Amino acid sequence: MPTLFDPYSLKSVTLRNRIAVSPMCQYMATDGLVNEWHRTHYAILARGGAGLVTLEATAVSPEGRITPRCLGLWQDKQADSFAPLVETLRQAGTVVGIQLAHAGRKASANVPWEGDDHIPETSPESWQPIAPSAVAFGQNRSRVPHAMTREEIARVKADFVSAAERARDIGIQFLMLHFAHGYLAQNFWSSHSNHRTDNYGGTTENRGRFLLETLDAVRAVWPEHLPLCARIGIIEFDGKDEETLCDSIRLIQKMKEHGLDFVDVSVGFSTPEVSVPWGAAFMVPFAARVRKETGLPVATSWYINDGRQTDALIRNELLDLVMIGRPLLANPFWPYEAARTLHKKHASQVLPPPYGWPLSRYH
Ligand code: 531
């Protein structure tokens, strides 16, 4: 029976424990470049003891940014800005992952604390979002996207590939494709946003085509010995949940055949008309079902913040990793706290020596 603090191996990568830092947008970049904010923020998280630090949603192209403040990997100079950060995190003993993203019809937004809505079209800061169909999300993202041509679909797949190559070349070891949260891939997958009549729309096979083709293209450049993961919105909470779940599980089974190694189970957020049953660990039963029905290892996130509960999720083999987000913003030393209280571990077993040695010596 594994515990939260047993190492976890996937392909050639071994995490020191089963705690993963969930990708969390910082919206602090300019021109997609890593800066002092990111270096400090991620170093604190890595030094707190997590086994995996997943860098936030990083855009594969300029129009794929959620906001003007998102990180990017569409240029070599952006990769250069990531490289020392990756090295710092590795030295702190964590495996470094990254979430590659294209925001689709939710792109060109103000950062959450400045409205979280689309930037007005008249502003020079805004740009034209693209999506499978010219259908707006609604509510705070009501700008109508441009319906992608087949050339644009091919170009975005190529952008995912170039960004994956850059991530590989700077030593990132865990790649997560952002196929959730109402961003571009989810726009293709969901009939809320995909009204296409060509072979990228209509049937579930057609709506899954962009996701599978992007996966194939990335897998071809992402080393076989390194884990390739996707965060997938498997349910919308829009009233058609069992159907969406079954379709999503079939898609994931296909993705497994196409080389996907790990699923981060999440919510679709494809339409504002939903009632999400927010509550402690509410996505765990869905993640466990994906795990059982696909045989792939899984993680999930959302309101998982109690150490004992988290340990139980791993011990009961419902999840393979836990993605912790906001609790780590409140307390980057959450892994140390959990290790101490649950497993009577010494600080030196979780923290880097300059913290672990003194804390282990004088309790
Ligand atoms: C979802 C979220 C909602 C409320 C609290 C935390 C997170 N996200 C998902 C994001 C961006 C912003 C909001 C991404 O998937 C990039």
Side-chain angles (χ1 to χ4, degrees):
M1 196 168 58
T3 81
L4 191 57
F5 288 95
D6 287 331
Y8 177 71
S9 295
L10 187 60
K11 296 281 184 78
S12 69
V13 174
T14 299
L15 279 52
R16 58 186 160 182
N17 56 48
R18 315 256 169 150
I19 301 166
V21 179
S22 199
M24 288 180 282
C25 292
Q26 296 299 294
Y27 304 118
M28 288 296 276
T30 304
D31 299 330
L33 298 163
V34 167
N35 61 35
E36 195 50 36
W37 176 270
H38 308 96
R39 285 189 286 276
T40 311
H41 165 69
Y42 287 111
I44 293 170
L45 290 169
R47 290 171 190 165
L52 172 69
V53 174
T54 320
L55 304 180
E56 66 201 74
T58 298
V60 300
S61 60
E63 89 288 344
R65 292 170 298 165
I66 307 167
T67 77
R69 311 296 306 273
C70 292
L71 285 174
L73 262 186
W74 66 86
Q75 289 175 328
D76 291 342
K77 70 171 185 195
Q78 292 162 338
D80 293 342
S81 76
F82 276 77
L85 169 65
V86 174
E87 188 47 35
T88 301
L89 304 185
R90 290 181 72 154
Q91 276 171 20
T94 195
V95 170
V96 187
I98 195 167
Q99 185 185 52
L100 293 184
H102 189 298
R105 67 178 182 172
K106 286 187 179 173
S108 187
N110 288 304
V111 302
W113 47 92
E114 286 168 13
D116 207 28
D117 52 347
H118 270 139
I119 303 171
E121 282 185 50
T122 46
S123 161
E125 283 252 277
S126 79
W127 63 89
Q128 175 63 59
I130 61 171
S133 305
V135 182
F137 173 74
Q139 227 178 37
N140 64 336
R141 304 285 168 95
S142 50
R143 186 162 175 179
V144 179
H146 156 75
M148 292 166 80
T149 62
R150 299 179 72 84
E151 290 69 35
E152 284 168 322
I153 293 175
R155 195 264 297 160
V156 173
K157 281 187 285 179
D159 289 339
F160 268 94
V161 170
S162 305
E165 289 175 318
R166 292 191 178 96
R168 176 198 67 198
D169 294 344
I170 55 176
I172 286 175
Q173 292 187 294
F174 184 96
L175 187 65
M176 180 190 286
L177 300 172
H178 199 346
F179 285 178
H181 298 178
Y183 298 122
L184 186 66
Q186 190 92 46
N187 295 163
F188 275 93
W189 179 234
S190 170
S191 45
H192 288 291
S193 39
N194 186 342
H195 298 181
R196 292 180 80 93
T197 51
D198 65 359
N199 67 343
Y200 284 98
T203 62
T204 48
E205 190 188 347
N206 283 353
R207 285 188 278 110
R209 191 176 307 282
F210 175 80
L211 288 73
L212 277 174
E213 287 182 355
T214 303
L215 171 66
D216 283 342
V218 168
R219 185 77 266 186
V221 300
W222 186 249
E224 204 37 60
H225 67 95
L226 294 178
L228 180 55
C229 161
R231 174 170 279 188
I232 306 182
I234 65 158
I235 186 168
E236 299 284 354
F237 300 110
D238 61 356
K240 293 193 235 108
D241 300 331
E242 188 53 32
E243 188 188 330
T244 310
L245 273 171
C246 290
D247 288 347
S248 300
I249 288 171
R250 267 195 298 276
L251 176 67
I252 294 168
Q253 282 160 344
K254 253 193 242 159
M255 288 178 160
K256 182 182 179 184
E257 290 164 20
H258 287 241
L260 188 74
D261 298 311
F262 194 95
V263 192
D264 180 14
V265 175
S266 197
V267 185
F269 297 134
S270 293
T271 161
E273 277 95 48
V274 291
S275 59
V276 180
W278 303 112
F282 78 99
M283 283 303 289
V284 169
F286 301 111
R289 178 166 163 190
V290 170
R291 188 179 194 269
K292 200 161 147 214
E293 293 186 23
T294 67
L296 277 174
V298 303
T300 192
S301 187
W302 302 106
Y303 298 92
I304 300 178
N305 49 26
D306 177 78
R308 198 167 300 282
Q309 176 198 34
T310 307
D311 195 35
L313 299 177
I314 300 291
R315 283 178 192 269
N316 295 331
E317 300 186 51
L318 298 172
L319 304 179
D320 298 275
L321 293 179
V322 281
M323 287 279 164
I324 311 274
R326 285 175 281 187
L328 283 165
L329 298 182
N331 175 15
F333 291 92
W334 189 100
Y336 164 54
E337 298 280 348
R340 196 165 53 95
T341 53
L342 296 174
H343 292 280
K344 309 261 174 291
K345 294 230 186 245
H346 284 290
S348 56
Q349 293 172 276
V350 188
L351 299 175
Y355 298 176
W357 188 86
L359 288 170
S360 298
R361 212 168 151 88
Y362 310 107
H363 311 284

